[in-house]
Amino acid sequence: MPDGGSTGIGASVKRKEDYRFLVGEGNYTDDINRPNQTYTYMLRSSSAHAKFSIDTSKASKANGVVKIFVGTDMEVGSIPCGWQVDSKDGTPMREPAHPPIAKDKVRYVGEIIAVIIAESLEDAKNAAELVDVNYDDIPVIIDMQDALDNSKGLVHDEIDSNVCYDWELGDSEAVDKAISEAAHITSLDIRNNRLIPNAMETRSAIGDYEHATGQYTLYTTSQNPHVIRLLMGAFVLGLPEHKLRVIAPDVGGGFGSKIFHYAEEAIVTWASNKIRRPVKWTSDRSEAFISDAHGRDHVTSVKLALDKDGKFLALKVDTLANMGAYLSTFASSVPTYLYATLLAGTYTTPAIHCNVKSIFTNTVPVDAYRGAGRPEATYLIERIVDKAAREMGISQVEIRRKNFIPVDAFPYQTPVALQYDSGNYNATLDAALKKADYEGFAARKADSAKRGMLRGIGFSTYLEACGIAPSAVVGSLGARAGLFECAEVRVHPTGSVTVFTGSHSHGQGHETTFAQLVSEKLGISTDMVEISHGDTNNIPFGMGTYGSRSLAVGGEAIVKAMDKVIAKAKKIAAHIMEASADDIELNNGNFEIAGTDKSMSLADISLAAYVPHNYPHEELEPGLDEKAFYDPLNFTYPGGCHICEVEINPNTGEVKVEGMTAVDDVGKVINPMIVEGQIHGGLAQGIGQALLENAAYDNNGQLLSGSYMDYAMPRADNFVDFKVGNEVTLCTHNSLGVKGCGEVGAIGSPPAVINAVVDALSELGVDDISMPATSEKVWNAINQAKNKN
Amino acid sequence: MYELQYSKPSSVNDAVAEVKNSSDAKFLAGGMTMIPTLKARLSSADLLVDLKGSNLSNISVSSSEVVVGSMTRHCDVASSNDIKGSLPALAKLAGGIGDHMVRSCGTIGGSLANNDPAACYPSAVLALDATVVTNERSILAADFFEGMFETALNEDEIITEIKFPIPEKASYIKFPNPASRYAMVGVFMVKKTDEISVAVTGAGENGVFRCKEIEDVLNSNFSLDALDNIQISDDNLTSDIHASAAYRANLIKEMAKKGLKDLI
Ligand SMILES: Cc1cc2nc3c(=O)[nH]c(=O)nc-3n(C[C@H](O)[C@H](O)[C@H](O)COP(=O)(O)OP(=O)(O)OC[C@H]3O[C@@H](n4cnc5c(N)ncnc54)[C@H](O)[C@@H]3O)c2cc1C
């Protein structure tokens, strides 16, 4: 029995939201239609780098065209970046202008060059074919090494370099000294492959300006409507909050790609005023490939110094991080504060230094994607540890145990700014070894060998920082926003509850998990609770959902609001039952006078609060409706152990995942089924990154993997049944003890998969393979190793 | 999609007449290729003539021949007991095309008319020396495929059925492209009374082709290990982001090695 009755904390309550999705009655942005609405086709650049001129005169006369806008028509603010990162010499990052519609120069294939608004989408598309665009091509910069050489050209003429910033964290002197003295150095060059998020629902936006009131409404596929209201309202269009309502209704997946403020949102909002009609845009899948922010794309060289026993002494990391052509909303923070701060991982490495140059290229902007910086950090740590173990002849398990932060060392201050509050890395490792039947591996490998197959096992004992984030901390690091969360808990007169949360659910199951918090605390069933989110007019405030923050930050705000509700309810109960509020105890939804049989239910009290005939008016306002903001004291630090087992056909290089075990410590688990689902999804994306997915550009800046014919999305048959477990250490700085589970699967798993592939090939002398480890790459590695031997 | 008209005539003759009478009409079968290309505006038509009404989806099997109507869907070929009994490799091939939706809509005629260089059926047609029958003539497999997306068909010619001679044994082994799941390499092997024939799809720069290198080896030494040490040339093989020509050459060998087990 879960702690809080049948629908409280710990119960696998079925997801309340799923019924409407399963019967096809979700309400997504594209399902919304406004009276007199127009349809937009975004004409996008087919050139990756060019000066261009554009003539829309013929298109403007085409059937059904309402209006065509080009860049010079839309004189508004630049699309802002939400985080300022300073270079190590103290200069602020280079922040080139980012107009919603390109004016005279395009910088990536997919950039908007004209907005065609018509009575129907087909009319708009027909007109788009009549727009005359003349491209005067400029040399294209795709490779980050090329970008470092100014003579190869500049993505932005107005800044003198393609380097956005040259940033560092950690003690380089200490690291260099340790490296010069160490018994062993392991080195590795790593590419963290560029990914395309591929949320199931493509982006969509409707701008709706009401002339009579001067009120703007933007319906949009967003993970954080208030943030969009702020970024677009304040920075791009100059609209005050009270005149701008942003609604993010049901959203079909985001994985980070729907955090950011995109040009299309500003365009439809602005245009709906210009043409005095609602303006709708919905991305098609091909468009999504070249207009949704991509993820990852790092090139890194890493060195690990070890003493003769395999103790880590120092880690040195040099990274080039691709920004694409413009700075997307959180792009600058991903390869810095969400990356370098993670480089201690689960280990006691005493000295760490990381240098990051982030680079503009003629590619789609790159920003946060499930894990955002932490998968990149985890990948390099767990790969270099794996390689070091092989080089030194220490087992993968032993080298990790040797270097784990011990349980009694918490709170643990890392050399890269973070202070971990809790964790037990041996516990997750032990549980995972058992679940993965590590002991049976040798026999399984022998069996594979009998069949001519290579078998390998790979580990990742990772950690991540989520529950983003303490505002004062991130503010001191350049964040241009706070990262608190807000909630309002409204107890209705008859005792049911609506929670208004600033978190946004786009697949995570908040409508269930958050309802379970209420069930637990107030002692009512989740059926009596509704979770409302996604509308700036309903929700007091919100910073949204990303960085596995919804429960640890958003959930805590709900708890704080409930605490206020309970405190007030006790006073009301005390008044009515003629007792002292201090003597009232809340048990299973009943407010009882301790030591007596007198009690009132929540419904009794809320009725009294809204029909306040017998009520302490001198002391309390009527009503039972409380709001709270919560700003976390620290990040939260989930961690765990992922173990992957693969079998490789040496003749074809095919890699088959034979086992995937994940034992994670995500803190207190509210709904085990939902947590398991989140981990499954994350593992799927992690395995996808490791074996299949890759956004490939040619030298002209054309995206070669621009559809599912060429971009390999993982499917169910790429996987095995995942073995998922959890080991709990509580977060020490929030009341629920929760850490976050949304990203761990995608963060922890890629190195486990690659380590398994390398393990299988290690008998041939292979010690690295890059992601994605396609069958051809593996086959090549086998051949090269054979030729060497 | 550009605006277009749609019709569903009730006979092959009417369908041909409708196409002849209009300036830019196209036949529509399962639509699995046609509809996405129309939607992406990569193709256009003033009229789509749907062949679903033309009664072209029969399967008949005799002792020497499997005859499949051009509008027969992949799922129907895959589940036909007659085909499974007499030419199981063909049923297996059809069952491995795309996903459920593609198999429940896509047709053999559409697949052959389209002649995608990574499609599965062309390899079966070529290796089995099948005959493609149209409303006008019978075309031998060797004459039908003319390169990537190119066939001997005229604009207003309809494939009506495909006649597959039943061999002693046949096999189809596919190495799917990890993204599209079309064939990165597909090898269809046939043991006829007097010879072995092998056709390869997914790999050729000019679409499906007969693989003489393998055929020659097997015609002189039809044994399980005959292919173990052959080296397939990568001349005229495709290189793309998924696989180099050299890797495709290796896959041809490996798929053929597997397929050979089914023949022996
Ligand atoms: C997701 C996906 C995965 C796929 N995977 C595979 C795979 O693994 N292997 C594989 O082989 N194929 C695959 N296909 C292709 C699919 O099997 C269809 O065979 C193919 O799309 C064409 O068949 P259709 O019946 O849909 O034809 P349509 O799309 O309707 O037509 C295709 C073309 O053929 C013409 N045409 C159709 N019928 C005739 C006829 N009887 N006579 C003359 N011309 C005709 C049409 O005018 C059109 O030009 C896949 C398709 C998709 C969408």
Side-chain angles (χ1 to χ4, degrees):
Chain A
M1 192 70 177
D3 312 0
S6 60
T7 63
I9 289 178
S12 285
V13 177
K14 289 245 171 73
R15 299 190 356 147
K16 286 161 62 97
E17 46 270 80
D18 282 352
Y19 182 74
R20 70 175 188 273
F21 298 139
L22 289 172
V23 299
E25 291 184 15
N27 182 37
Y28 297 91
T29 302
D30 192 57
D31 293 324
I32 296 168
N33 292 297
R34 306 296 300 153
N36 206 23
Q37 163 182 298
T38 61
Y39 296 82
T40 306
Y41 178 74
M42 302 288 171
L43 184 62
R44 295 177 186 275
S45 173
S46 58
S47 167
H49 202 190
K51 293 245 177 225
F52 74 99
S53 60
I54 190 162
D55 179 356
T56 60
S57 51
K58 226 184 324 160
S60 300
K61 296 188 198 94
N63 193 38
V65 169
V66 176
K67 184 78 192 170
I68 298 180
F69 294 110
V70 296
T72 46
D73 296 324
M74 193 177 177
E75 291 298 343
V76 297
S78 178
I79 294 177
C81 178
W83 200 305
Q84 180 180 318
V85 173
D86 293 341
S87 285
K88 56 192 174 195
D89 65 7
T91 54
M93 66 187 186
R94 296 182 177 87
E95 216 175 336
H98 185 183
I101 312 174
K103 291 196 163 74
D104 55 0
K105 196 179 171 197
V106 285
R107 296 180 174 86
Y108 66 94
V109 171
E111 187 169 0
I112 299 168
I113 55 175
V115 176
I116 294 123
I117 302 175
E119 298 295 344
S120 75
L121 183 57
E122 291 306 316
D123 284 344
K125 285 187 179 175
N126 289 339
E129 292 181 2
L130 301 174
V131 175
D132 241 334
V133 190
N134 260 312
Y135 295 102
D136 192 359
D137 285 327
I138 304 169
V140 172
I141 297 179
I142 299 300
D143 186 84
M144 288 195 277
Q145 286 294 346
D146 288 346
L148 291 175
D149 177 355
N150 271 7
S151 73
K152 298 243 161 95
L154 291 172
V155 176
H156 294 274
D157 311 313
E158 75 266 30
I159 56 175
D160 56 353
S161 161
N162 292 317
V163 178
C164 174
Y165 51 74
D166 180 358
W167 174 93
E168 67 175 353
L169 183 71
D171 185 342
S172 70
E173 260 173 51
V175 167
D176 290 344
K177 183 162 178 294
I179 287 177
S180 71
E181 295 167 4
H184 187 88
I185 311 283
T186 297
S187 311
L188 190 59
D189 291 320
I190 281 172
R191 168 177 276 280
N192 206 289
N193 42 330
R194 180 184 275 243
L195 303 177
I196 297 173
N198 283 302
M200 200 182 288
E201 179 205 22
T202 58
R203 288 189 299 117
S204 178
I206 307 168
D208 190 357
Y209 174 69
E210 202 179 83
H211 172 59
T213 58
Q215 188 76 35
Y216 291 82
T217 303
L218 168 66
Y219 303 84
T220 184
T221 45
S222 176
Q223 301 178 210
N224 30 246
H226 284 86
V227 176
I228 301 306
R229 187 179 67 171
L230 178 72
L231 292 171
M232 182 180 83
F235 295 96
V236 185
L237 299 182
L239 304 174
E241 283 93 338
H242 70 296
K243 287 294 182 196
L244 174 58
R245 175 181 187 183
V246 179
I247 299 174
D250 284 332
V251 173
F255 313 117
S257 72
K258 291 171 182 167
I259 299 171
F260 325 123
H261 173 43
Y262 286 96
E264 294 88 353
E265 294 168 323
I267 290 169
V268 297
T269 306
W270 172 87
S272 72
N273 176 335
K274 293 290 166 209
I275 68 165
R276 297 279 163 87
R277 290 175 65 180
V279 177
K280 180 176 198 172
W281 166 78
T282 299
S283 172
D284 64 29
R285 184 58 67 183
S286 312
E287 202 175 2
F289 273 89
I290 53 167
S291 68
D292 292 357
H294 294 177
R296 316 277 192 263
D297 206 350
H298 285 196
V299 173
T300 295
S301 86
V302 51
K303 272 193 174 56
L304 178 67
L306 303 95
D307 74 9
K308 63 176 191 346
D309 301 321
K311 263 284 221 192
F312 306 158
L313 301 174
L315 183 73
K316 187 178 170 67
V317 176
D318 255 296
T319 294
L320 298 179
N322 205 334
M323 296 284 101
Y326 296 94
L327 281 181
S328 176
T329 305
F330 282 127
S332 54
S333 64
V334 173
T336 49
Y337 296 107
L338 295 178
Y339 168 68
T341 51
L342 268 292
L343 289 173
T346 49
Y347 310 114
T348 54
T349 318
I352 299 174
H353 181 257
C354 178
N355 198 100
V356 180
K357 288 192 178 118
S358 77
I359 310 289
F360 292 113
T361 58
N362 292 115
T363 60
V364 171
V366 179
D367 206 328
Y369 168 65
R370 201 168 191 169
R374 292 151 286 157
E376 294 90 320
T378 302
Y379 185 70
L380 76 85
I381 299 167
E382 292 301 311
R383 280 291 300 125
I384 194 88
V385 166
D386 180 277
K387 187 160 185 250
R390 285 176 206 291
E391 289 175 357
M392 297 188 73
I394 305 173
S395 88
Q396 294 296 342
V397 171
E398 194 192 335
I399 199 167
R400 288 175 164 81
R401 291 210 199 275
K402 236 184 232 297
N403 288 284
F404 276 156
I405 298 161
V407 184
D408 58 13
F410 292 96
Y412 178 79
Q413 178 63 50
T414 73
V416 275
L418 298 178
Q419 192 186 73
Y420 304 164
D421 62 337
S422 66
N424 185 345
Y425 310 126
N426 274 310
T428 44
L429 174 59
D430 288 336
L433 287 170
K434 211 160 153 211
K435 242 190 195 341
D437 184 24
Y438 183 50
E439 298 209 324
F441 174 70
R444 293 193 294 277
K445 188 172 170 78
D447 178 63
S448 296
K450 253 188 240 154
R451 291 180 283 111
M453 300 292 210
L454 303 166
R455 199 175 189 99
I457 193 162
F459 295 83
S460 164
T461 46
Y462 76 96
L463 164 138
E464 69 125 332
C466 60
I468 290 172
S471 296
V473 174
V474 296
S476 72
L477 301 177
R480 290 164 171 163
L483 287 169
F484 55 83
E485 197 47 273
C486 176
E488 182 178 336
V489 174
R490 182 175 299 166
V491 185
H492 300 291
T494 61
S496 66
V497 171
T498 301
V499 175
F500 301 86
T501 170
S503 300
H504 185 281
S505 186
H506 32 280
Q508 293 86 348
H510 294 170
E511 290 172 39
T512 308
T513 303
F514 289 176
Q516 286 180 253
L517 297 182
V518 178
S519 173
E520 176 77 23
K521 273 251 162 195
L522 300 184
I524 58 177
S525 155
T526 49
D527 293 340
M528 298 287 284
V529 185
E530 202 67 27
I531 306 296
S532 174
H533 61 91
D535 181 343
T536 58
N537 269 21
N538 286 349
I539 312 299
F541 205 83
M543 293 308 296
T545 286
Y546 39 85
S548 303
R549 68 191 304 273
S550 297
L551 188 57
V553 188
E556 280 293 315
I558 296 170
V559 169
K560 281 195 77 173
M562 283 195 289
D563 287 343
K564 292 185 186 176
V565 164
I566 291 166
K568 183 170 178 182
K570 281 184 177 171
K571 288 183 188 161
I572 299 168
H575 172 86
I576 293 171
M577 296 192 287
E578 296 176 341
S580 155
D582 294 339
D583 294 336
I584 306 280
E585 279 173 6
L586 173 55
N587 289 319
N588 297 324
N590 286 318
F591 291 77
E592 303 168 353
I593 304 177
T596 75
D597 59 358
K598 280 172 92 179
S599 79
M600 289 179 79
S601 70
L602 181 67
D604 296 335
I605 297 170
S606 58
L607 192 63
Y610 288 95
V611 188
H613 296 166
N614 175 13
Y615 200 78
H617 284 287
E618 317 73 45
E619 187 192 351
L620 294 178
E621 297 167 10
L624 196 52
D625 186 347
E626 297 289 343
K627 184 173 74 184
F629 284 77
Y630 173 76
D631 204 311
L633 295 170
N634 191 352
F635 293 85
T636 57
Y637 300 97
C641 176
H642 292 181
I643 300 178
C644 179
E645 199 166 318
V646 299
E647 189 177 78
I648 294 176
N649 179 336
N651 297 327
T652 59
E654 271 169 291
V655 177
K656 200 163 172 301
V657 176
E658 290 286 341
M660 188 74 225
T661 302
V663 176
D664 303 287
D665 173 6
V666 300
K668 183 87 171 170
V669 172
I670 307 299
N671 182 319
M673 177 196 72
I674 287 180
V675 168
E676 190 172 346
Q678 287 289 307
I679 305 234
H680 279 219
L683 293 176
Q685 280 173 317
I687 297 170
Q689 166 162 33
L691 296 179
L692 294 161
E693 298 183 48
N694 192 41
Y697 277 97
D698 72 8
N699 291 332
N700 297 319
Q702 298 294 335
L703 183 64
L704 296 174
S705 49
S707 81
Y708 293 136
M709 294 300 281
D710 292 307
Y711 187 87
M713 287 291 280
R715 286 168 241 193
D717 64 356
N718 293 118
F719 308 128
V720 280
D721 275 346
F722 299 142
K723 293 184 190 146
V724 174
N726 64 293
E727 286 290 321
V728 176
T729 64
L730 296 178
C731 171
T732 62
H733 58 81
N734 62 42
S735 74
L736 292 166
V738 297
K739 296 184 175 179
C741 68
E743 295 161 297
V744 292
I747 291 170
S749 59
V753 178
I754 296 298
N755 288 343
V757 173
V758 170
D759 186 52
L761 303 178
S762 60
E763 61 194 69
L764 304 168
V766 174
D767 64 2
D768 187 32
I769 195 127
S770 66
M771 295 193 291
T774 61
S775 50
E776 177 170 18
K777 260 191 218 165
V778 172
W779 179 74
N780 278 331
I782 292 170
N783 286 342
Q784 278 163 16
K786 277 186 184 156
N787 291 341
K788 246 196 243 164
N789 295 343
Chain B
M1 191 183 300
Y2 299 101
E3 204 169 286
L4 48 75
Q5 301 293 313
Y6 169 88
S7 76
K8 192 161 117 187
S10 53
S11 74
V12 170
N13 285 344
D14 289 353
V16 172
E18 288 198 21
V19 166
K20 281 199 157 90
N21 287 338
S22 116
S23 63
D24 185 23
K26 292 201 166 73
F27 298 119
L28 177 69
M32 290 293 94
T33 296
M34 194 69 186
I35 301 293
T37 47
L38 288 170
K39 280 170 86 175
R41 298 185 164 220
L42 297 170
S43 164
S44 63
D46 58 359
L47 173 68
L48 276 189
V49 178
D50 193 337
L51 299 177
K52 277 188 206 71
S54 301
N55 207 8
L56 291 170
S57 43
N58 316 325
I59 294 173
S60 70
V61 175
S62 68
S63 61
S64 61
E65 223 178 30
V66 171
V67 182
V68 182
S70 64
M71 287 296 289
T72 309
R73 301 173 306 162
H74 308 327
C75 61
D76 295 325
V77 173
S79 61
S80 157
N81 285 332
D82 287 343
I83 296 180
K84 280 198 250 177
S86 53
L87 190 44
L90 192 68
K92 179 186 165 198
L93 175 150
I97 291 175
D99 51 34
H100 272 290
M101 192 164 94
V102 169
R103 291 193 292 275
S104 330
C105 295
T107 66
I108 187 168
S111 175
L112 295 175
N114 196 47
N115 191 20
D116 188 305
C120 300
Y121 270 127
S123 64
V125 170
L126 193 60
L128 286 163
D129 284 322
T131 303
V132 178
V133 181
T134 75
N135 60 315
E136 294 175 11
R137 54 187 168 147
S138 288
I139 309 172
L140 292 177
D143 302 326
F144 182 80
F145 302 107
E146 297 186 339
M148 281 201 185
F149 300 106
E150 297 290 336
T151 67
L153 291 175
N154 301 317
E155 293 272 285
D156 48 13
E157 190 171 4
I158 294 180
I159 301 174
T160 52
E161 62 189 22
I162 298 92
K163 295 182 173 169
F164 295 96
I166 297 175
E168 272 182 30
K169 274 187 173 169
S171 70
Y172 180 66
I173 308 287
K174 168 181 174 180
F175 189 95
N177 176 311
S180 71
R181 302 288 178 98
Y182 275 67
M184 194 136 94
V185 164
V187 178
F188 202 99
M189 304 172 82
V190 182
K191 182 169 188 284
K192 302 171 189 163
T193 42
D194 50 349
E195 62 162 358
I196 305 295
S197 74
V198 177
V200 173
T201 189
E205 274 185 328
N206 300 309
V208 65
F209 65 93
R210 287 275 291 264
C211 187
K212 287 273 166 261
E213 288 157 289
I214 296 177
E215 289 178 352
D216 289 348
V217 170
L218 292 181
N219 279 324
S220 65
N221 171 21
F222 187 67
S223 67
L224 253 186
D225 53 6
L227 301 176
D228 286 1
N229 296 311
I230 61 161
Q231 181 88 37
I232 306 284
S233 157
D234 59 12
D235 289 350
N236 302 321
L237 298 189
T238 312
S239 271
D240 56 27
I241 56 169
H242 303 290
S244 66
Y247 182 57
R248 280 192 164 89
N250 176 62
L251 288 180
I252 292 172
K253 170 183 161 181
E254 292 301 329
M255 297 308 111
K257 272 165 61 185
K258 267 197 196 171
L260 184 57
K261 287 189 196 149
D262 292 350
L263 291 197
I264 288 181

